[in-house]
Amino acid sequence: MIAANRARRAIRRQRAAATRTARRAARALATGQPQPATVHLIGRGLDAKTAKRFAGAFSRGVAPTAMGETVVKLKGRARKAVALKLYDLAAFAARLAVYRPRDPHAAAQFASLAA
């Protein structure tokens, strides 16, 4: 009984986190400003884990609309500023129309996003 309740709470937390991530991405895209590939993919309906997995390969070979800067956490309290590629909706849509990963399941997901 206790384990079942713990499992249900974990599922609820995961769903809440996924919903928050999707809403945050949708709000960011609604601004009309260039966003990272991960935000575009999550905003289109891809789950965060898959979006983060394919964002690097997705953005490879595409000229970014703008460049930004973000901070990543290193070991301990150390942080480092890294460059961030930002894409507008037109550049993202053009890349989404032609990008297909080798993984058949992921390729089907990207094909459904492009449709």
Side-chain angles (χ1 to χ4, degrees):
M1 183 70 172
I2 294 174
N5 287 338
R6 186 178 302 129
R8 281 193 288 268
R9 283 194 309 268
I11 290 170
R12 203 173 311 131
R13 279 193 307 272
Q14 290 168 351
R15 287 181 183 167
T19 301
R20 274 193 309 274
T21 303
R23 282 186 169 178
R24 190 177 306 124
R27 276 195 307 268
L29 290 175
T31 63
Q33 296 179 353
Q35 299 293 328
T38 307
V39 173
H40 278 288
L41 293 172
I42 293 171
R44 283 284 180 110
L46 208 58
D47 62 296
K49 185 176 179 182
T50 307
K52 289 175 187 175
R53 177 181 171 200
F54 288 102
F58 183 85
S59 62
R60 196 169 298 129
V62 179
T65 306
M67 293 295 287
E69 193 173 89
T70 189
V71 178
V72 294
K73 183 176 177 258
L74 301 175
K75 191 173 183 179
R77 292 186 178 184
R79 296 181 183 276
K80 177 182 175 184
V82 294
L84 187 64
K85 297 177 186 176
L86 304 174
Y87 304 95
D88 63 357
L89 192 57
F92 174 78
R95 179 64 173 157
L96 186 60
V98 296
Y99 179 73
R100 295 297 175 268
R102 289 188 191 142
D103 179 21
H105 178 67
Q109 285 181 323
F110 276 91
S112 69
L113 290 179

